Amino acid sequence: MKALLRSFFKKLGGGGVRAFAAQSLKIAGVQDIIAVASGKGGVGKSTTAVNLAVALSSKCQLNVGLLDADVYGPSIPTMMKLHGKPEVSEGKKMIPMKNYGVKCMSMGFLVTEEYAPIVWRGPMVMKALEQMSRGVDWGKLDILVVDMPPGTGDAQISISQRLQLSGALIVSTPQDVALMDARRGVNMFNKVEVPILGILENMSFFKCPHCGEPSHIFGKGGARRTADGMGLPFLGEIPLEEKIRSNSDEGTPMVISNPDSAVSKAYGDVAQKVVNRLEELSKQQQFRPEMNL
């Protein structure tokens, strides 16, 4: 394992973005790569990525991978209850760790201290993402879900350009401030010609556990209106529930721990809509040339 880590960080030292840009944009064995993104942090993007990936695997019966591209704040190891270090294949590639039927890779598996900060500049981050995407033996995947870092900066643009994304799912709360950044996220993906799979409204409302009355804490219907105004698919509403938070902390996604709950069914519906949208986009673009930068 120490040899793997030395090799990983040694590779980060040379080449930078230029070496990354020379790579073919496709990842061998992966049919579609989708980004779960948000214009800002704190809207439940990682929770959505985890439950979407598990739903695609368990409910849609697909071979799914999950790449934690948030290098500075990796949360997938906790949310997927995965610990330890990845093993290395005969081809000198890291073998992704697996739980709930989903293959996962995260910087959180590679840092030696749980709370150690990752203080890297852009080229180092991009080289790390290269190793965690193409330096991994993913096998055959129908979909690789990428949990994007929040925002619309250099890292997000570079990932969008380098991984040949099949589409991006935008996560937002109904709040106007969050929706402003969601629009920026949509516009960023439009600029790099990545199709938008749709907008998902997270924390849509809080349902009182005593009386059942919904409270729209962050506003009502904002993401739907934004999607309609931008001519984009609206993927659904995920309510704000205490169990979503507690299950994420415990590493048991709602789709697994409470499969019959309204939240799990909502995630299942989103997963099916994503699959349908990918099929629709594939029919629209039967031939997509492989790009080399």
Coordinates of all heavy atoms in Angstrom, one line a residue, residues 8-101:
F8 N 1.4 7.2 -6.4 CA 0.3 8.1 -6.6 C 0.8 9.6 -6.5 O 0.7 10.4 -7.4 CB -0.8 7.9 -5.6 CG -2.0 8.8 -5.8 CD1 -2.9 8.6 -6.8 CD2 -2.1 9.9 -5.0 CE1 -4.0 9.5 -6.9 CE2 -3.1 10.8 -5.1 CZ -4.1 10.6 -6.1
F9 N 1.5 9.9 -5.4 CA 2.0 11.2 -5.2 C 3.2 11.6 -6.1 O 3.4 12.8 -6.4 CB 2.3 11.5 -3.7 CG 1.0 11.5 -2.9 CD1 0.7 10.4 -2.0 CD2 0.2 12.6 -2.9 CE1 -0.4 10.4 -1.3 CE2 -1.0 12.6 -2.2 CZ -1.3 11.5 -1.3
K10 N 3.9 10.6 -6.5 CA 5.0 10.9 -7.4 C 4.5 11.3 -8.7 O 5.0 12.2 -9.4 CB 5.9 9.6 -7.6 CG 7.1 9.8 -8.5 CD 7.9 8.5 -8.6 CE 9.1 8.7 -9.5 NZ 9.9 7.5 -9.6
K11 N 3.4 10.6 -9.2 CA 2.8 11.0 -10.4 C 2.2 12.4 -10.4 O 2.1 13.1 -11.4 CB 1.7 10.0 -10.8 CG 2.3 8.7 -11.2 CD 1.2 7.7 -11.5 CE 1.7 6.3 -12.0 NZ 0.7 5.3 -12.2
L12 N 1.8 12.8 -9.2 CA 1.2 14.2 -9.1 C 2.3 15.2 -9.3 O 2.0 16.4 -9.6 CB 0.6 14.4 -7.7 CG -0.6 13.5 -7.3 CD1 -1.2 13.9 -6.0 CD2 -1.7 13.6 -8.4
G13 N 3.5 14.9 -9.1 CA 4.6 15.8 -9.1 C 5.0 16.3 -10.5 O 5.6 17.3 -10.7
G14 N 4.6 15.5 -11.6 CA 5.1 15.9 -12.9 C 4.0 15.9 -13.9 O 3.0 15.1 -13.8
G15 N 4.1 16.8 -14.8 CA 3.1 16.8 -16.0 C 2.0 17.8 -15.8 O 1.7 18.5 -16.7
G16 N 1.4 17.8 -14.6 CA 0.3 18.8 -14.3 C -0.8 18.6 -15.3 O -1.1 17.6 -15.8
V17 N -1.5 19.8 -15.6 CA -2.6 19.8 -16.4 C -2.3 19.4 -17.9 O -3.1 18.8 -18.6 CB -3.3 21.2 -16.4 CG1 -4.4 21.3 -17.4 CG2 -3.8 21.5 -15.0
R18 N -1.1 19.8 -18.3 CA -0.7 19.5 -19.7 C -0.7 18.0 -19.9 O -1.2 17.5 -21.0 CB 0.7 20.0 -20.0 CG 1.1 19.8 -21.4 CD 2.4 20.5 -21.7 NE 2.3 21.9 -21.6 CZ 3.3 22.8 -21.7 NH1 4.5 22.3 -22.0 NH2 3.2 24.1 -21.6
A19 N -0.2 17.2 -19.0 CA -0.2 15.7 -19.2 C -1.6 15.2 -19.1 O -2.0 14.3 -19.9 CB 0.7 15.1 -18.1
F20 N -2.4 15.8 -18.3 CA -3.8 15.4 -18.2 C -4.5 15.7 -19.5 O -5.4 14.9 -19.9 CB -4.4 16.1 -17.0 CG -5.8 15.6 -16.6 CD1 -6.1 14.3 -16.7 CD2 -6.8 16.5 -16.2 CE1 -7.4 13.9 -16.3 CE2 -8.0 16.1 -15.8 CZ -8.3 14.8 -15.9
A21 N -4.3 16.8 -20.1 CA -5.0 17.2 -21.3 C -4.6 16.3 -22.4 O -5.4 16.2 -23.4 CB -4.6 18.7 -21.6
A22 N -3.5 15.6 -22.4 CA -3.1 14.8 -23.5 C -3.9 13.5 -23.5 O -3.8 12.7 -24.5 CB -1.6 14.5 -23.4
Q23 N -4.6 13.2 -22.5 CA -5.3 11.9 -22.4 C -6.6 11.9 -23.2 O -7.2 12.9 -23.5 CB -5.7 11.7 -20.9 CG -4.6 11.5 -19.9 CD -4.0 10.1 -20.0 OE1 -4.6 9.2 -20.6 NE2 -2.8 10.0 -19.4
S24 N -6.9 10.8 -23.7 CA -8.2 10.6 -24.4 C -9.3 10.9 -23.4 O -9.1 10.6 -22.2 CB -8.3 9.2 -25.0 OG -9.7 8.9 -25.3
L25 N -10.4 11.5 -23.8 CA -11.4 11.8 -22.9 C -12.3 10.7 -22.4 O -13.0 10.8 -21.4 CB -12.3 12.9 -23.5 CG -11.6 14.2 -23.9 CD1 -12.7 15.2 -24.4 CD2 -10.8 14.8 -22.8
K26 N -12.2 9.6 -23.0 CA -13.0 8.4 -22.6 C -12.2 7.6 -21.5 O -11.0 7.6 -21.5 CB -13.2 7.5 -23.8 CG -14.0 8.1 -24.9 CD -15.5 8.2 -24.6 CE -16.2 6.8 -24.6 NZ -17.6 7.0 -24.4
I27 N -13.0 7.0 -20.7 CA -12.4 6.0 -19.7 C -12.8 4.6 -20.1 O -14.0 4.3 -20.3 CB -13.0 6.3 -18.3 CG1 -12.5 7.7 -17.8 CG2 -12.5 5.3 -17.3 CD1 -13.0 8.1 -16.4
A28 N -11.8 3.8 -20.3 CA -12.0 2.5 -20.8 C -13.0 1.7 -20.0 O -12.9 1.7 -18.7 CB -10.7 1.7 -20.9
G29 N -14.0 1.1 -20.6 CA -15.0 0.3 -19.9 C -16.2 1.0 -19.4 O -17.1 0.4 -18.9
V30 N -16.2 2.4 -19.5 CA -17.3 3.2 -18.9 C -18.1 3.7 -20.0 O -17.7 4.4 -20.9 CB -16.7 4.3 -18.0 CG1 -17.9 5.2 -17.5 CG2 -15.8 3.8 -16.9
Q31 N -19.4 3.3 -20.0 CA -20.3 3.8 -21.0 C -20.7 5.2 -20.9 O -20.6 6.0 -21.9 CB -21.6 2.9 -21.0 CG -22.6 3.3 -22.1 CD -23.8 2.3 -22.2 OE1 -23.7 1.1 -21.8 NE2 -24.9 2.8 -22.6
D32 N -21.2 5.6 -19.8 CA -21.6 7.0 -19.5 C -21.0 7.6 -18.3 O -20.9 6.9 -17.3 CB -23.2 7.1 -19.5 CG -23.8 7.0 -20.8 OD1 -23.6 7.8 -21.7 OD2 -24.7 6.0 -20.9
I33 N -20.6 8.8 -18.3 CA -20.2 9.5 -17.1 C -21.1 10.7 -16.9 O -21.3 11.5 -17.8 CB -18.7 10.0 -17.3 CG1 -17.8 8.9 -17.7 CG2 -18.2 10.7 -16.0 CD1 -16.4 9.3 -18.0
I34 N -21.7 10.8 -15.7 CA -22.5 11.9 -15.4 C -22.0 12.7 -14.1 O -21.5 12.1 -13.2 CB -24.0 11.5 -15.1 CG1 -24.1 10.6 -13.9 CG2 -24.5 10.7 -16.4 CD1 -25.6 10.2 -13.5
A35 N -22.2 14.0 -14.2 CA -21.8 14.8 -13.0 C -23.0 15.2 -12.2 O -24.0 15.5 -12.7 CB -21.1 16.1 -13.6
V36 N -22.8 15.1 -10.9 CA -23.8 15.6 -10.0 C -23.2 16.9 -9.4 O -22.1 16.8 -8.7 CB -24.1 14.6 -8.8 CG1 -25.1 15.3 -7.8 CG2 -24.8 13.4 -9.4
A37 N -23.8 18.0 -9.7 CA -23.1 19.3 -9.5 C -24.0 20.3 -8.8 O -25.3 20.2 -8.9 CB -22.6 19.9 -10.8
S38 N -23.4 21.4 -8.3 CA -24.2 22.5 -7.7 C -23.3 23.7 -7.9 O -22.1 23.6 -7.9 CB -24.5 22.2 -6.2 OG -23.4 22.1 -5.5
G39 N -24.0 24.8 -7.9 CA -23.2 26.1 -8.0 C -22.6 26.5 -6.7 O -21.7 27.3 -6.7
K40 N -23.1 25.9 -5.6 CA -22.6 26.3 -4.3 C -22.6 25.0 -3.4 O -23.3 24.1 -3.7 CB -23.4 27.4 -3.7 CG -24.8 27.0 -3.4 CD -25.6 28.2 -2.9 CE -25.1 28.8 -1.6 NZ -24.6 30.1 -1.7
G41 N -21.9 25.1 -2.3 CA -21.9 24.0 -1.3 C -23.1 24.1 -0.4 O -23.8 25.1 -0.3
G42 N -23.4 23.0 0.3 CA -24.4 23.0 1.3 C -25.8 22.7 0.8 O -26.8 22.9 1.6
V43 N -26.0 22.3 -0.4 CA -27.3 22.0 -0.9 C -27.6 20.5 -1.0 O -28.7 20.1 -1.5 CB -27.5 22.6 -2.3 CG1 -27.4 24.1 -2.3 CG2 -26.6 22.0 -3.4
G44 N -26.7 19.7 -0.5 CA -27.0 18.2 -0.5 C -26.5 17.5 -1.7 O -27.0 16.4 -2.1
K45 N -25.5 18.0 -2.4 CA -25.0 17.4 -3.6 C -24.4 16.0 -3.4 O -24.7 15.1 -4.2 CB -23.9 18.3 -4.3 CG -23.1 17.8 -5.4 CD -22.0 18.7 -5.9 CE -21.1 19.1 -4.7 NZ -20.4 17.9 -4.2
S46 N -23.6 15.9 -2.4 CA -22.9 14.6 -2.2 C -24.0 13.5 -1.7 O -23.9 12.4 -2.1 CB -21.8 14.7 -1.1 OG -20.8 15.5 -1.6
T47 N -24.9 13.9 -0.9 CA -26.0 13.0 -0.5 C -26.8 12.6 -1.7 O -27.2 11.4 -1.8 CB -26.9 13.7 0.5 OG1 -26.2 14.2 1.6 CG2 -28.0 12.8 1.0
T48 N -27.0 13.5 -2.6 CA -27.8 13.2 -3.8 C -26.9 12.2 -4.7 O -27.5 11.2 -5.2 CB -28.1 14.4 -4.6 OG1 -28.9 15.3 -3.9 CG2 -28.7 14.1 -6.0
A49 N -25.6 12.5 -4.8 CA -24.8 11.6 -5.6 C -24.8 10.2 -5.1 O -24.8 9.2 -5.9 CB -23.4 12.2 -5.7
V50 N -24.7 10.1 -3.8 CA -24.6 8.7 -3.2 C -25.9 8.0 -3.4 O -25.9 6.8 -3.8 CB -24.3 8.9 -1.7 CG1 -24.6 7.5 -0.9 CG2 -22.9 9.2 -1.4
N51 N -27.0 8.6 -3.1 CA -28.3 7.9 -3.2 C -28.7 7.7 -4.7 O -29.3 6.7 -5.0 CB -29.4 8.7 -2.5 CG -29.4 8.6 -1.0 OD1 -29.9 7.6 -0.5 ND2 -28.8 9.5 -0.3
L52 N -28.3 8.6 -5.6 CA -28.5 8.3 -7.0 C -27.7 7.1 -7.5 O -28.3 6.3 -8.2 CB -28.1 9.6 -7.8 CG -28.1 9.4 -9.3 CD1 -29.5 9.1 -9.8 CD2 -27.6 10.7 -10.0
A53 N -26.4 7.1 -7.1 CA -25.6 6.0 -7.5 C -26.1 4.6 -7.0 O -26.2 3.6 -7.7 CB -24.2 6.2 -7.0
V54 N -26.6 4.6 -5.7 CA -27.1 3.4 -5.2 C -28.4 3.0 -5.8 O -28.7 1.8 -6.1 CB -27.2 3.5 -3.6 CG1 -27.9 2.3 -3.1 CG2 -25.9 3.7 -3.0
A55 N -29.3 4.0 -6.1 CA -30.5 3.7 -6.8 C -30.3 3.2 -8.2 O -31.0 2.3 -8.6 CB -31.4 5.0 -6.8
L56 N -29.4 3.8 -8.9 CA -29.1 3.3 -10.2 C -28.6 1.8 -10.2 O -28.9 1.0 -11.1 CB -28.0 4.1 -10.9 CG -28.4 5.5 -11.3 CD1 -27.1 6.4 -11.6 CD2 -29.3 5.5 -12.5
S57 N -27.9 1.4 -9.1 CA -27.4 0.1 -9.0 C -28.6 -0.9 -8.5 O -28.8 -1.9 -9.2 CB -26.3 0.0 -8.0 OG -25.9 -1.3 -7.7
S58 N -29.3 -0.5 -7.5 CA -30.2 -1.4 -6.9 C -31.6 -1.4 -7.5 O -32.2 -2.5 -7.7 CB -30.4 -1.0 -5.4 OG -30.9 0.3 -5.2
K59 N -32.0 -0.2 -8.0 CA -33.4 -0.1 -8.6 C -33.4 -0.3 -10.1 O -34.3 -0.8 -10.7 CB -34.0 1.2 -8.2 CG -34.3 1.3 -6.7 CD -35.0 2.6 -6.3 CE -35.2 2.7 -4.8 NZ -36.1 1.7 -4.3
C60 N -32.3 0.2 -10.7 CA -32.2 0.2 -12.2 C -31.3 -1.0 -12.7 O -31.2 -1.2 -13.9 CB -31.7 1.5 -12.8 SG -32.7 2.9 -12.4
Q61 N -30.7 -1.7 -11.7 CA -29.9 -2.9 -12.0 C -28.8 -2.6 -13.0 O -28.5 -3.3 -14.0 CB -30.8 -4.0 -12.6 CG -31.9 -4.4 -11.6 CD -31.4 -5.1 -10.4 OE1 -30.6 -6.0 -10.4 NE2 -31.7 -4.5 -9.2
L62 N -28.1 -1.5 -12.8 CA -26.9 -1.1 -13.6 C -25.6 -1.3 -12.9 O -25.6 -1.4 -11.6 CB -27.1 0.3 -14.0 CG -28.3 0.7 -14.9 CD1 -28.3 2.2 -15.1 CD2 -28.3 -0.1 -16.2
N63 N -24.5 -1.4 -13.6 CA -23.2 -1.5 -13.0 C -22.7 0.0 -12.9 O -22.6 0.7 -13.8 CB -22.2 -2.2 -14.0 CG -22.5 -3.7 -14.1 OD1 -22.9 -4.3 -13.1 ND2 -22.4 -4.2 -15.3
V64 N -22.5 0.4 -11.6 CA -22.4 1.8 -11.3 C -21.1 2.0 -10.5 O -20.7 1.2 -9.7 CB -23.5 2.3 -10.5 CG1 -23.4 3.8 -10.2 CG2 -24.9 2.1 -11.2
G65 N -20.4 3.1 -10.9 CA -19.2 3.6 -10.1 C -19.5 5.0 -9.6 O -20.4 5.7 -10.1
L66 N -18.8 5.4 -8.5 CA -19.0 6.7 -7.9 C -17.6 7.3 -7.6 O -16.8 6.7 -6.9 CB -19.7 6.5 -6.6 CG -20.0 7.8 -5.7 CD1 -20.7 8.9 -6.5 CD2 -20.7 7.5 -4.5
L67 N -17.3 8.4 -8.3 CA -16.0 9.1 -8.2 C -16.2 10.3 -7.4 O -17.0 11.2 -7.7 CB -15.5 9.4 -9.6 CG -14.2 10.3 -9.6 CD1 -13.1 9.7 -8.9 CD2 -13.8 10.7 -11.0
D68 N -15.5 10.4 -6.3 CA -15.6 11.6 -5.4 C -14.5 12.6 -5.9 O -13.4 12.5 -5.6 CB -15.2 11.2 -3.9 CG -15.4 12.3 -2.9 OD1 -15.7 13.4 -3.3 OD2 -15.3 12.0 -1.7
A69 N -15.0 13.6 -6.7 CA -14.1 14.5 -7.3 C -13.9 15.8 -6.4 O -13.2 16.7 -6.8 CB -14.7 15.0 -8.7
D70 N -14.5 15.8 -5.2 CA -14.3 16.9 -4.3 C -13.0 16.6 -3.5 O -13.1 16.1 -2.4 CB -15.5 17.0 -3.4 CG -15.5 18.3 -2.6 OD1 -14.5 19.0 -2.6 OD2 -16.5 18.6 -2.0
V71 N -11.9 16.9 -4.1 CA -10.6 16.5 -3.5 C -10.4 17.2 -2.2 O -9.9 16.6 -1.2 CB -9.5 16.9 -4.5 CG1 -8.1 16.7 -3.8 CG2 -9.6 16.0 -5.8
Y72 N -10.8 18.4 -2.0 CA -10.6 19.2 -0.8 C -11.5 18.7 0.4 O -11.1 18.9 1.5 CB -10.8 20.7 -1.0 CG -9.8 21.3 -2.0 CD1 -10.2 21.8 -3.2 CD2 -8.4 21.3 -1.7 CE1 -9.3 22.4 -4.1 CE2 -7.5 21.8 -2.6 CZ -8.0 22.4 -3.8 OH -7.1 22.9 -4.6
G73 N -12.7 18.2 0.0 CA -13.6 17.8 1.1 C -14.2 16.5 0.8 O -15.5 16.4 0.6
P74 N -13.5 15.4 0.7 CA -14.1 14.1 0.3 C -15.0 13.5 1.4 O -14.6 13.4 2.6 CB -12.8 13.2 0.1 CG -11.8 13.8 1.0 CD -12.0 15.3 1.0
S75 N -16.2 13.2 1.0 CA -17.2 12.7 2.0 C -17.8 11.3 1.6 O -18.5 10.7 2.4 CB -18.4 13.7 2.1 OG -19.0 14.0 0.8
I76 N -17.4 10.9 0.4 CA -18.0 9.6 0.0 C -17.6 8.4 0.9 O -18.4 7.5 1.2 CB -17.6 9.3 -1.5 CG1 -18.2 10.3 -2.4 CG2 -18.0 7.9 -1.9 CD1 -19.7 10.5 -2.3
P77 N -16.3 8.4 1.4 CA -16.0 7.3 2.3 C -16.9 7.1 3.5 O -17.3 6.0 3.9 CB -14.5 7.6 2.8 CG -14.0 8.4 1.6 CD -15.1 9.2 1.1
T78 N -17.3 8.3 4.1 CA -18.2 8.3 5.3 C -19.6 7.9 4.8 O -20.2 7.0 5.5 CB -18.2 9.6 5.9 OG1 -16.9 9.9 6.4 CG2 -19.2 9.7 7.1
M79 N -20.1 8.5 3.8 CA -21.5 8.2 3.3 C -21.7 6.8 2.8 O -22.8 6.3 2.8 CB -21.9 9.3 2.3 CG -22.0 10.7 2.8 SD -22.6 11.8 1.5 CE -22.9 13.3 2.5
M80 N -20.6 6.2 2.3 CA -20.7 4.8 1.8 C -20.2 3.8 2.7 O -20.1 2.6 2.4 CB -20.0 4.7 0.4 CG -20.7 5.5 -0.7 SD -22.3 4.8 -1.2 CE -21.8 3.4 -2.1
K81 N -19.8 4.2 3.9 CA -19.2 3.3 4.9 C -18.1 2.5 4.4 O -18.1 1.3 4.4 CB -20.3 2.4 5.5 CG -19.9 1.8 6.9 CD -21.0 0.9 7.4 CE -22.1 1.7 8.1 NZ -23.1 0.8 8.8
L82 N -17.1 3.2 3.9 CA -15.9 2.5 3.3 C -14.7 3.1 4.0 O -14.5 4.3 4.0 CB -15.8 2.8 1.8 CG -16.9 2.0 0.9 CD1 -16.9 2.5 -0.5 CD2 -16.6 0.5 0.9
H83 N -13.8 2.2 4.4 CA -12.6 2.6 5.1 C -11.4 1.7 4.6 O -11.6 0.7 3.9 CB -12.7 2.4 6.6 CG -13.9 3.1 7.2 ND1 -14.0 4.4 7.3 CD2 -15.1 2.6 7.6 CE1 -15.2 4.8 7.8 NE2 -15.9 3.6 8.0
G84 N -10.2 2.2 4.8 CA -9.0 1.5 4.4 C -8.5 2.1 3.1 O -8.9 3.1 2.6
K85 N -7.6 1.3 2.5 CA -6.9 1.8 1.3 C -7.2 0.8 0.1 O -7.4 -0.4 0.3 CB -5.4 1.8 1.5 CG -4.9 2.6 2.7 CD -5.3 4.1 2.6 CE -4.8 4.8 3.9 NZ -5.2 6.2 3.9
P86 N -7.3 1.4 -1.1 CA -7.6 0.5 -2.3 C -6.4 -0.4 -2.6 O -5.2 0.0 -2.4 CB -7.8 1.5 -3.4 CG -7.1 2.7 -3.0 CD -7.2 2.8 -1.5
E87 N -6.7 -1.6 -3.1 CA -5.6 -2.5 -3.5 C -5.2 -2.2 -4.9 O -5.8 -1.3 -5.6 CB -6.1 -4.0 -3.4 CG -6.5 -4.4 -2.0 CD -7.0 -5.9 -2.0 OE1 -7.1 -6.5 -3.1 OE2 -7.2 -6.4 -0.9
V88 N -4.2 -2.8 -5.4 CA -3.6 -2.5 -6.7 C -3.8 -3.7 -7.6 O -3.5 -4.9 -7.2 CB -2.2 -2.1 -6.7 CG1 -1.7 -1.7 -8.0 CG2 -2.0 -0.9 -5.7
S89 N -4.2 -3.5 -8.9 CA -4.4 -4.6 -9.8 C -3.0 -5.0 -10.4 O -2.0 -4.3 -10.2 CB -5.3 -4.3 -10.9 OG -4.8 -3.3 -11.8
E90 N -3.0 -6.1 -11.2 CA -1.8 -6.5 -11.8 C -1.3 -5.5 -12.9 O -0.2 -5.4 -13.2 CB -2.0 -7.9 -12.5 CG -2.2 -9.0 -11.6 CD -2.4 -10.3 -12.3 OE1 -2.4 -10.3 -13.6 OE2 -2.6 -11.4 -11.6
G91 N -2.3 -4.7 -13.4 CA -2.0 -3.7 -14.3 C -1.6 -2.4 -13.6 O -1.5 -1.3 -14.3
K92 N -1.3 -2.4 -12.3 CA -0.8 -1.3 -11.6 C -1.8 -0.2 -11.5 O -1.5 1.0 -11.4 CB 0.5 -0.7 -12.2 CG 1.6 -1.7 -12.3 CD 2.0 -2.3 -10.9 CE 3.2 -3.2 -11.1 NZ 3.6 -3.9 -9.8
K93 N -3.1 -0.6 -11.5 CA -4.2 0.4 -11.3 C -4.9 0.1 -9.9 O -4.9 -1.0 -9.5 CB -5.2 0.3 -12.4 CG -4.7 0.9 -13.7 CD -5.9 1.0 -14.7 CE -5.4 1.7 -16.0 NZ -6.6 1.9 -16.9
M94 N -5.4 1.2 -9.3 CA -6.1 1.0 -8.1 C -7.4 0.3 -8.3 O -8.1 0.6 -9.3 CB -6.3 2.4 -7.4 CG -5.1 3.1 -6.9 SD -5.4 4.7 -6.1 CE -5.8 5.7 -7.5
I95 N -7.8 -0.6 -7.4 CA -9.1 -1.3 -7.5 C -10.0 -0.5 -6.6 O -9.8 -0.3 -5.4 CB -8.9 -2.7 -7.0 CG1 -7.9 -3.5 -7.9 CG2 -10.3 -3.4 -7.0 CD1 -7.6 -4.9 -7.4
P96 N -11.2 0.0 -7.2 CA -12.1 0.8 -6.4 C -12.7 -0.1 -5.3 O -12.9 -1.3 -5.4 CB -13.2 1.2 -7.4 CG -13.1 0.2 -8.5 CD -11.6 -0.2 -8.6
M97 N -13.0 0.6 -4.2 CA -13.7 -0.1 -3.1 C -15.2 -0.1 -3.3 O -15.7 0.7 -4.1 CB -13.3 0.7 -1.8 CG -11.8 0.8 -1.5 SD -11.4 1.5 0.1 CE -11.8 0.2 1.2
K98 N -15.8 -1.1 -2.8 CA -17.2 -1.3 -3.2 C -18.1 -1.5 -2.0 O -17.8 -2.2 -1.0 CB -17.3 -2.6 -4.1 CG -18.7 -2.8 -4.7 CD -18.6 -3.9 -5.8 CE -19.9 -4.1 -6.5 NZ -19.8 -5.2 -7.5
N99 N -19.3 -0.9 -2.0 CA -20.3 -1.2 -1.0 C -21.7 -0.9 -1.7 O -21.8 0.0 -2.6 CB -20.1 -0.3 0.2 CG -20.9 -0.9 1.4 OD1 -21.4 -2.0 1.4 ND2 -20.9 -0.1 2.5
Y100 N -22.7 -1.6 -1.2 CA -24.1 -1.4 -1.7 C -24.1 -1.5 -3.3 O -24.9 -0.9 -3.9 CB -24.6 0.0 -1.3 CG -24.5 0.3 0.1 CD1 -23.8 1.4 0.6 CD2 -25.0 -0.6 1.1 CE1 -23.7 1.7 1.9 CE2 -24.9 -0.3 2.5 CZ -24.2 0.8 2.9 OH -24.1 1.1 4.2
G101 N -23.2 -2.3 -3.8 CA -23.2 -2.6 -5.2 C -22.6 -1.5 -6.1 O -22.6 -1.6 -7.3

